[in-house]
Every structure is written in structure tokens, then in C-alpha cells.
């Protein structure tokens, strides 16, 4: 299993062959035990100290660590006819009351210190992660507490987007455009949640500036964004225009329960809610957006397609479900609109990835004194978390694949023998889905016909698999 991860860093160039080899060893150790501390994941004191020196080396950077993984991601993208490129932001909470991390900035208040991680991740339409194509990590310098809401709003309106945190969405879109141009045979769709509802993103060109006129005629990238505001159009507003369109089809959604992080959470999309089943209607229309006012520049009006997914029973006690999706994808047929909704649903996979990164790989708990060291360590765990999620999804979407496509003989044989006590090993390697379920059961997954293991049970099971494979190999040497 670790071989899959090691392949991601072969070809990495850190300016020193010894550093390249150390990166391979670190990736191997961290991949074997994703949720262990660095001292526990390494096999000796010398190896532990070498890992800490690696992350503190001036030649090492997160961009260099992830460069070869980004290349492998592009290769996997090129093998797909359709790629969904999802970008989103998550907090990396580095609050250390006893020893603050040097370089960490304020988050939602001065007492909470940390950074923000914004990856661009590629998925298949089925939700299988292909890798991280681009990323950005940044910190806030300060939080303005003395200015009034009116002063903050004025400052925001007069500040160019290049000086705002929201520039990350434009940078992510440009990175997606570059990746799409490198995979001309693949249709790529850049997907973002409501935070990416920025007019400059809609106005950005969807082809690389270096492309010829023939290549520009076929855009290399499409856009799919959930709106956070009812923008003005030539004939009224987004909601007014799309609601005048006929209902294309009805659908049933199962809304999961959600608990707010704190009792003080007031945001509509972060507050607590109960699980329920809702009926929704889906409509679509093409509208022309009126450009917003920008200090020192004039933006052009834009034509864009809109898909509205709206709950029919607005009298319910819970807040009505409403997705307002803005896209450059065609909406000429009902099937095309259905695909747009399905594509946006894949966006949730990046939330699963963040959970794997923070709960499974425990990146926020790594004990470093400075932010650059944490950033380098985060780059390694970015690949480890991808591999855990990749295996989880691959077992579900490619169940009949031979398990030796990702597992070594000692890994699957040791797990099979432990989980099927007294049963002889099969003459042929088992199916991948069977082995992924067995590995996840080592982490607490209860095997049932109609359920699939999640990343939490899998990352725990992977650690147990590593120890079983070591014992299997050791016993094989004794018998020899």
C-alpha cells in the first residue's frame, strides 16, 4: 500500500539527493501510520531527528514536496474524460497557549492562532480523488477590531481583490485552468461553494492566454459555483428569473443532521439542524448578470446559466433547502441539468478529505515551533490523506479489481488470515472491495452488505495492517 504513496514523490527535486531520499523515507513511515505522532511513526531516534531536520531545512518547501504529486495528479486527470476540480478552504488551528507557533496568525479572534489551507483537488464524477493539483497556505496579519461595520464595508469595497483573502478563489481557478490546458482530452469543471461567488471569478477567461484562436474556441475549463447572494440581472434578480422557468424535474434529498461547532454559531450554513427528507424542484435558466461596482475599474456584464434546486414545502419548521448554482455548463436538456446537480454534490468529498487530514493525520497536533516547519509537514500529510481517501473510494467504485493493485502479498495475506482464522489462503488474490472492508474492520468497521467503510475506520485499519504485514514477513524469515 505504501508503494502507491512512494510513487507520488519519486522525481521530487529538493536540490539535494539526500533530501530526496529522506522525503521517500518520511512518506513511507507516515503512510504506514497516518495517525501516530512523528516519534511513534519513525523506527528510531536517529530517524525521528532526521525527519525534524528535514522539515526545518531551508531547501525544503511545500511546493517542492508536492510538485511530483501534482504531476502524478495531472497524469491521472489525463486518463479521465471528465474531471471535477474542487477548491475549498479549511482552518489549521495551531493554538498553543504554553508555546505559541511562530508565524501563526489570528483566525476568527486574536486568541486563536493558526493558518488557512486552500487546496485544489481533482475528482472523478464518482468521487474518487485523483490528487491535489495546487494549494495555498496563508495567515492573517491582524483582525480589525476598532473599525465600525460601516468602515469595514467601505474598506472592503475600495480594496482591490489582489489585496483580499478572496484572491485565493481566483488563483485556484487559474490553477485549474492551467491544469485543464495540460489535459486537453479531458473536460474539467472547477467547483466551489458559496465563498467563491465572486464576480471576478465569473469574468476570468477559461482558456490560457498562450492558446491559439482555434484552441480558445473550445474552452478548457467550465465553472460551477453555488451562489451566496441573489445577484442583480438585466431583468430583475437571479431568483426571480429562474423561478419563472418551468420545473424540469422533482427529486428527493436526504438531509443529514449537523451540529454547530459552538453554541455561538449563527451562520445559516453552520448552525445545527435535524436529519430529514425533503422534496425539491429543479429549474434552469440563462441570465445576464449586472456587474457590481468596483473602485477604479468597470467590469463587463456576463451571461451565465443558473440551476435552482429548491424545497417545495416552504412551510416546514426547518430552513428550506435552496441551492442556486451558477455555471458555464450547458443546460439544454434535463439530463444536462441533472448532471450539474450531481457534479456539485461531489464537492462534499473535499470536506471528507479535510476530515481525513485533520482527524486521521492529526496535522493540527504536530508539535513544531514555527509555521514553515508545519507547512512542510502538512505537505507530506496532504499526500497521506489523499491515499487513505483514494483507497476508500477505489474499493467502493472498483470492487472487482485485484487487491494486489494496491496491496502487497504480505499485507493482504496477513489481514486475510487474521480475519478468517483457520481458513486457507485463496489461490488468487481477493477482490479489492473485500480486502478494503477487512482492513477497515480492523479499525472498527462493522461489515454489512449495503454499507461501505469510511476513511476513519480505514486509516485506523491501515495502521494495524502495517503491523500485521511486518509480523508476517518476520515469521516468513523464521520458516526459511
Amino acid at each position: 500500500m505504501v508503494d502507491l504513496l512512494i510513487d507520488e514523490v519519486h522525481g521530487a527535486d529538493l536540490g539535494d539527493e539526500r533530501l530526496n531520499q529522506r522525503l521517500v523515507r518520511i512518506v513511507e513511515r507516515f503512510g504506514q501510520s497516518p495517525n501516530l505522532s512523528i516519534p511513534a511513526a519513525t523506527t528510531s531516534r536517529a530517524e525521528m531527528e532526521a525527519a525534524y531536520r528535514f522539515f526545518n531545512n531551508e531547501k525544503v518547501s511545500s511546493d517542492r514536496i508536492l510538485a511530483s504529486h501534482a504531476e502524478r495528479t495531472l497524469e491521472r486527470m489525463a486518463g479521465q474524460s471528465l474531471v471535477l476540480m474542487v477548491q475549498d478552504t479549511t482552518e489549521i488551528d495551531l493554538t498553543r497557549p504554553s508555546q505559541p507557533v511562530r508565524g501563526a496568525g489570528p483566525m476568527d479572534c486574536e486568541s486563536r492562532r493558526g493558518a488557512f489551507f486552500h487546496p485544489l483537488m481533482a475528482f472523478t464524477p464518482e468521487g474518487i480523488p485523483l490528487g491535489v493539483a495546487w494549494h495555498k497556505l496563508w495567515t492573517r496579519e491582524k483582525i480589525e477590531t476598532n473599525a465600525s461595520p460601516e468602515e469595514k464595508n467601505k474598506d472592503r469595497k475600495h480594496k482591490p481583490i489582489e489585496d483580499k483573502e478572496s484572491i485565493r478563489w481566483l488563483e485556484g481557478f487559474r490553477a485549474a485552468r492551467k491544469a485543464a490546458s495540460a489535459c486537453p482530452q479531458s473536460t474539467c469543471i472547477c467547483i466551489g461553494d458559496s465563498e467563491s461567488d465572486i464576480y471576478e471569478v465569473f469574468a476570468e477567461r477559461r482558456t490560457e492566454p498562450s492558446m491559439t484562436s482555434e484552441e480558445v474556441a473550445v474552452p478548457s475549463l467550465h465553472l460551477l459555483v453555488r451562489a451566496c447572494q441573489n445577484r442583480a440581472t438585466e431583468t430583475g434578480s437571479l431568483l426571480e428569473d429562474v423561478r419563472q422557468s418551468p420545473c424540469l424535474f422533482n427529486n428527493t434529498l436526504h438531509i443529514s443532521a449537523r451540529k454547530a461547532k459552538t453554541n455561538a454559531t449563527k451562520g445559516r450554513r453552520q448552525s445545527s439542524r435535524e436529519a430529514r427528507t425533503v422534496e425539491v424542484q429543479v429549474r434552469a435558466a440563462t441570465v445576464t448578470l449586472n456587474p457590481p461596482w468596483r473602485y477604479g475599474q468597470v467590469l463587463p456584464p456576463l451571461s451565465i446559466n443558473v440551476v435552482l434546486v429548491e424545497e417545495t414545502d416552504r412551510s416546514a419548521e426547518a430552513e428550506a433547502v435552496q441551492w442556486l448554482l451558477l455555471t458555464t455548463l450547458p443546460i439544454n436538456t434535463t439530463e444536462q441539468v441533472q448532471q450539474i446537480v450531481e457534479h456539485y454534490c461531489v464537492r462534499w468529498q473535499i470536506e471528507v478529505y479535510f476530515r481525513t487530514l485533520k482527524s486521521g493525520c492529526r496535522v493540527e497536533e504536530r508539535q513544531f515551533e514555527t509555521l514553515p516547519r508545519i507547512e512542510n509537514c502538512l505537505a507530506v500529510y496532504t499526500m497521506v490523506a489523499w491515499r487513505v481517501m483514494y483507497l476508500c473510494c477505489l474499493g467502493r467504485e472498483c470492487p472487482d479489481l485485484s487487491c494486489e493493485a494496491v496491496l502487497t502479498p504480505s499485507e493482504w495475506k496477513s489481514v486475510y488470515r487474521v480475519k478468517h482464522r483457520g481458513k486457507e489462503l485463496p489461490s488468487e488474490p481477493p477482490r479489492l472491495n473485500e480486502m478494503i472492508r477487512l482492513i477497515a474492520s480492523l479499525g472498527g468497521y462493522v461489515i454489512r452488505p449495503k454499507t461501505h467503510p469510511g476513511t476513519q475506520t480505514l486509516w485506523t485499519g491501515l495502521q494495524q495492517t502495517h503491523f500485521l504485514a511486518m509480523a508476517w514477513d518476520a515469521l516468513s524469515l523464521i520458516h526459511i
Side-chain angles (χ1 to χ4, degrees):
M1 250 177 313
V2 177
D3 292 344
L4 176 66
L5 193 54
I6 292 177
D7 288 342
E8 299 300 304
V9 293
H10 272 309
D13 184 10
L14 301 176
D16 188 321
E17 185 57 33
R18 292 171 298 178
L19 290 176
N20 297 340
Q21 294 175 2
R22 178 56 56 187
L23 175 59
V24 172
R25 181 62 62 85
I26 289 173
V27 163
E28 180 181 9
R29 292 289 181 257
F30 288 11
Q32 290 167 346
S33 305
N35 59 341
L36 291 185
S37 65
I38 293 176
T42 49
T43 58
S44 65
R45 182 181 180 88
E47 193 173 68
M48 175 194 70
E49 292 177 348
Y52 282 115
R53 287 197 304 270
F54 175 86
F55 293 128
N56 193 37
N57 195 297
E58 293 182 353
K59 295 181 180 179
V60 177
S61 68
S62 62
D63 289 335
R64 286 187 169 188
I65 291 174
L66 286 171
S68 58
H69 171 66
E71 291 177 2
R72 303 291 91 74
T73 300
L74 287 178
E75 292 173 1
R76 287 185 285 267
M77 289 173 56
Q80 302 290 324
S81 60
L82 178 64
V83 179
L84 308 181
M85 306 193 71
V86 182
Q87 59 172 329
D88 202 3
T89 306
T90 189
E91 295 179 345
I92 305 297
D93 192 342
L94 304 174
T95 305
R96 309 278 193 270
S98 58
Q99 187 178 8
V101 176
R102 295 196 302 273
M107 304 186 82
D108 53 355
C109 62
E110 289 292 341
S111 61
R112 289 185 67 233
R113 313 291 290 185
F116 296 89
F117 180 53
H118 186 91
L120 174 69
M121 198 166 187
F123 295 90
T124 68
E126 295 78 25
I128 298 176
L130 302 175
V132 176
W134 173 87
H135 75 285
K136 179 179 182 178
L137 188 88
W138 83 95
T139 59
R140 290 174 178 160
E141 294 183 3
K142 64 177 182 178
I143 294 180
E144 187 59 62
T145 57
N146 297 324
S148 65
E150 292 76 15
E151 291 172 330
K152 291 180 181 179
N153 188 45
K154 181 179 179 181
D155 178 68
R156 179 182 60 80
K157 287 185 175 181
H158 284 75
K159 184 182 295 184
I161 190 171
E162 290 77 13
D163 297 333
K164 298 179 181 179
E165 290 183 6
S166 54
I167 186 64
R168 67 188 187 275
W169 299 102
L170 195 55
E171 292 172 339
F173 182 80
R174 290 168 180 169
R177 183 180 65 194
K178 183 177 180 180
S181 66
C183 307
Q185 304 304 318
S186 305
T187 300
C188 296
I189 306 172
C190 186
I191 302 176
D193 68 359
S194 56
E195 284 189 80
S196 62
D197 180 8
I198 301 169
Y199 200 86
E200 283 81 353
V201 174
F202 305 141
E204 185 73 8
R205 60 182 298 161
R206 293 187 283 130
T207 54
E208 286 289 277
S210 59
M211 286 185 170
T212 64
S213 57
E214 291 79 10
E215 292 173 322
V216 170
V218 182
S220 57
L221 183 67
H222 283 284
L223 183 66
L224 176 56
V225 168
R226 182 178 178 183
C228 71
Q229 52 188 312
N230 189 17
R231 291 184 177 273
T233 65
E234 282 187 340
T235 56
S237 68
L238 281 174
L239 279 174
E240 291 174 359
D241 290 354
V242 73
R243 280 175 176 166
Q244 292 176 7
S245 303
C247 175
L248 298 177
F249 59 92
N250 294 308
N251 205 348
T252 301
L253 296 180
H254 301 284
I255 306 300
S256 60
R258 179 178 62 203
K259 186 176 182 180
K261 292 183 178 179
T262 65
N263 293 330
T265 301
K266 301 297 183 183
R268 181 167 62 92
R269 293 176 184 170
Q270 291 81 37
S271 58
S272 299
R273 70 184 181 195
E274 299 292 335
R276 62 194 184 100
T277 300
V278 299
E279 296 293 328
V280 295
Q281 292 182 338
V282 181
R283 292 177 167 83
T286 300
V287 303
T288 300
L289 298 178
N290 289 339
W293 179 84
R294 291 290 188 264
Y295 180 75
Q297 63 176 319
V298 177
L299 296 173
L302 293 173
S303 178
I304 199 164
N305 295 328
V306 187
V307 175
L308 175 63
V309 180
E310 193 168 38
E311 186 175 354
T312 55
D313 183 11
R314 300 181 191 174
S315 63
E317 294 183 3
E319 186 168 358
V321 172
Q322 185 185 85
W323 290 359
L324 192 59
L325 306 179
L326 306 179
T327 183
T328 58
L329 291 164
I331 56 171
N332 301 320
T333 66
T334 300
E335 290 73 21
Q336 289 175 335
V337 175
Q338 286 177 323
Q339 287 181 344
I340 289 172
V341 177
E342 291 172 1
H343 293 338
Y344 184 76
C345 289
V346 175
R347 195 209 70 82
W348 176 252
Q349 288 294 92
I350 202 168
E351 304 290 353
V352 178
Y353 174 74
F354 288 153
R355 181 171 178 269
T356 305
L357 186 65
K358 294 198 281 188
S359 297
C361 299
R362 299 165 60 194
V363 294
E364 295 175 320
E365 301 175 28
R366 304 302 168 184
Q367 299 299 310
F368 291 94
E369 296 178 353
T370 65
L371 183 62
R373 300 177 194 177
I374 291 177
E375 184 175 359
N376 291 335
C377 184
L378 173 64
V380 173
Y381 279 111
T382 294
M383 294 181 285
V384 174
W386 160 78
R387 186 203 61 153
V388 172
M389 190 174 175
Y390 178 78
L391 291 175
C392 189
C393 295
L394 196 65
R396 181 180 67 245
E397 299 298 333
C398 304
D400 296 326
L401 189 68
S402 170
C403 69
E404 287 198 348
V406 295
L407 300 175
T408 64
S410 59
E411 287 171 337
W412 75 259
K413 288 179 180 179
S414 60
V415 173
Y416 190 94
R417 192 52 82 75
V418 166
K419 297 303 293 185
H420 297 286
R421 295 183 181 181
K423 189 174 181 180
E424 291 296 324
L425 292 173
S427 57
E428 297 291 332
R431 298 183 311 137
L432 179 60
N433 184 50
E434 178 185 354
M435 288 310 306
I436 290 296
R437 285 169 172 265
L438 290 178
I439 291 173
S441 69
L442 294 173
Y445 167 67
V446 179
I447 299 177
R448 295 188 178 94
K450 296 183 179 181
T451 64
H452 298 282
T455 56
Q456 181 173 351
T457 55
L458 186 57
W459 74 60
T460 305
L462 287 174
Q463 181 180 321
Q464 303 299 322
T465 300
H466 167 60
F467 294 139
L468 290 173
M470 288 178 61
W472 183 273
D473 290 335
L475 289 172
S476 298
L477 291 175
I478 293 174
H479 288 306
I480 291 175

